[in-house]
mmCIF file of all heavy atoms in Angstrom:
data_model
loop_
_atom_site.group_PDB
_atom_site.id
_atom_site.type_symbol
_atom_site.label_atom_id
_atom_site.label_comp_id
_atom_site.label_asym_id
_atom_site.label_seq_id
_atom_site.Cartn_x
_atom_site.Cartn_y
_atom_site.Cartn_z
ATOM 1 N N VAL G 659 2.727 5.866 3.965
ATOM 2 C CA VAL G 659 2.623 4.926 2.846
ATOM 3 C C VAL G 659 3.702 5.282 1.833
ATOM 4 O O VAL G 659 3.847 6.435 1.450
ATOM 5 C CB VAL G 659 1.225 4.995 2.186
ATOM 6 C CG1 VAL G 659 1.158 4.086 0.983
ATOM 7 C CG2 VAL G 659 0.141 4.672 3.182
ATOM 8 N N GLU G 660 4.454 4.263 1.433
ATOM 9 C CA GLU G 660 5.509 4.466 0.455
ATOM 10 C C GLU G 660 5.444 3.338 -0.559
ATOM 11 O O GLU G 660 5.378 2.168 -0.181
ATOM 12 C CB GLU G 660 6.869 4.482 1.146
ATOM 13 C CG GLU G 660 7.998 4.849 0.235
ATOM 14 C CD GLU G 660 9.294 5.082 0.995
ATOM 15 O OE1 GLU G 660 9.272 5.274 2.220
ATOM 16 O OE2 GLU G 660 10.338 5.063 0.319
ATOM 17 N N ILE G 661 5.441 3.696 -1.830
ATOM 18 C CA ILE G 661 5.412 2.683 -2.881
ATOM 19 C C ILE G 661 6.618 2.876 -3.800
ATOM 20 O O ILE G 661 7.067 3.990 -4.031
ATOM 21 C CB ILE G 661 4.102 2.704 -3.693
ATOM 22 C CG1 ILE G 661 3.820 4.085 -4.275
ATOM 23 C CG2 ILE G 661 2.938 2.235 -2.870
ATOM 24 C CD1 ILE G 661 2.649 4.142 -5.217
ATOM 25 N N ASP G 662 7.118 1.771 -4.284
ATOM 26 C CA ASP G 662 8.199 1.762 -5.256
ATOM 27 C C ASP G 662 7.997 0.497 -6.086
ATOM 28 O O ASP G 662 8.366 -0.592 -5.669
ATOM 29 C CB ASP G 662 9.556 1.758 -4.565
ATOM 30 C CG ASP G 662 10.712 1.870 -5.555
ATOM 31 O OD1 ASP G 662 10.459 1.958 -6.780
ATOM 32 O OD2 ASP G 662 11.866 1.862 -5.098
ATOM 33 N N THR G 663 7.345 0.647 -7.222
ATOM 34 C CA THR G 663 7.007 -0.516 -8.030
ATOM 35 C C THR G 663 7.287 -0.235 -9.496
ATOM 36 O O THR G 663 7.312 0.914 -9.930
ATOM 37 C CB THR G 663 5.528 -0.901 -7.809
ATOM 38 O OG1 THR G 663 5.258 -2.128 -8.457
ATOM 39 C CG2 THR G 663 4.588 0.140 -8.331
ATOM 40 N N ARG G 664 7.470 -1.305 -10.234
ATOM 41 C CA ARG G 664 7.681 -1.195 -11.676
ATOM 42 C C ARG G 664 6.534 -1.915 -12.357
ATOM 43 O O ARG G 664 6.310 -3.104 -12.141
ATOM 44 C CB ARG G 664 9.004 -1.816 -12.062
ATOM 45 C CG ARG G 664 9.394 -1.521 -13.497
ATOM 46 C CD ARG G 664 10.768 -1.995 -13.788
ATOM 47 N NE ARG G 664 11.710 -0.944 -13.469
ATOM 48 C CZ ARG G 664 12.924 -0.854 -13.993
ATOM 49 N NH1 ARG G 664 13.349 -1.768 -14.833
ATOM 50 N NH2 ARG G 664 13.726 0.124 -13.674
ATOM 51 N N LEU G 665 5.801 -1.188 -13.185
ATOM 52 C CA LEU G 665 4.647 -1.728 -13.883
ATOM 53 C C LEU G 665 5.008 -1.995 -15.338
ATOM 54 O O LEU G 665 5.398 -1.074 -16.067
ATOM 55 C CB LEU G 665 3.473 -0.744 -13.813
ATOM 56 C CG LEU G 665 3.040 -0.311 -12.416
ATOM 57 C CD1 LEU G 665 1.986 0.783 -12.498
ATOM 58 C CD2 LEU G 665 2.520 -1.493 -11.630
ATOM 59 N N GLY G 666 4.880 -3.241 -15.743
ATOM 60 C CA GLY G 666 5.110 -3.603 -17.138
ATOM 61 C C GLY G 666 3.884 -3.256 -17.954
ATOM 62 O O GLY G 666 2.774 -3.659 -17.621
ATOM 63 N N LEU G 667 4.065 -2.487 -19.010
ATOM 64 C CA LEU G 667 2.940 -2.037 -19.841
ATOM 65 C C LEU G 667 2.576 -3.136 -20.829
ATOM 66 O O LEU G 667 3.419 -3.556 -21.630
ATOM 67 C CB LEU G 667 3.310 -0.748 -20.571
ATOM 68 C CG LEU G 667 3.751 0.414 -19.671
ATOM 69 C CD1 LEU G 667 4.170 1.605 -20.505
ATOM 70 C CD2 LEU G 667 2.655 0.795 -18.697
ATOM 71 N N ILE G 668 1.341 -3.597 -20.758
ATOM 72 C CA ILE G 668 0.867 -4.654 -21.661
ATOM 73 C C ILE G 668 -0.426 -4.205 -22.324
ATOM 74 O O ILE G 668 -1.143 -3.358 -21.800
ATOM 75 C CB ILE G 668 0.655 -5.994 -20.911
ATOM 76 C CG1 ILE G 668 -0.388 -5.847 -19.807
ATOM 77 C CG2 ILE G 668 1.969 -6.515 -20.348
ATOM 78 C CD1 ILE G 668 -0.769 -7.156 -19.137
ATOM 79 N N VAL G 669 -0.718 -4.791 -23.482
ATOM 80 C CA VAL G 669 -1.937 -4.461 -24.224
ATOM 81 C C VAL G 669 -2.973 -5.570 -24.065
ATOM 82 O O VAL G 669 -4.168 -5.304 -24.066
ATOM 83 C CB VAL G 669 -1.615 -4.228 -25.725
ATOM 84 C CG1 VAL G 669 -2.874 -3.917 -26.511
ATOM 85 C CG2 VAL G 669 -0.609 -3.106 -25.876
ATOM 86 N N GLU G 670 -2.515 -6.807 -23.916
ATOM 87 C CA GLU G 670 -3.413 -7.954 -23.743
ATOM 88 C C GLU G 670 -3.032 -8.693 -22.471
ATOM 89 O O GLU G 670 -1.852 -8.761 -22.110
ATOM 90 C CB GLU G 670 -3.310 -8.897 -24.940
ATOM 91 C CG GLU G 670 -3.749 -8.275 -26.244
ATOM 92 C CD GLU G 670 -3.535 -9.210 -27.429
ATOM 93 O OE1 GLU G 670 -3.145 -10.374 -27.213
ATOM 94 O OE2 GLU G 670 -3.756 -8.767 -28.553
#
Side-chain angles (χ1 to χ4, degrees):
V659 176
E660 187 170 343
I661 55 173
D662 185 0
T663 188
R664 190 173 271 203
L665 304 173
L667 303 177
I668 61 173
V669 179
E670 297 176 6

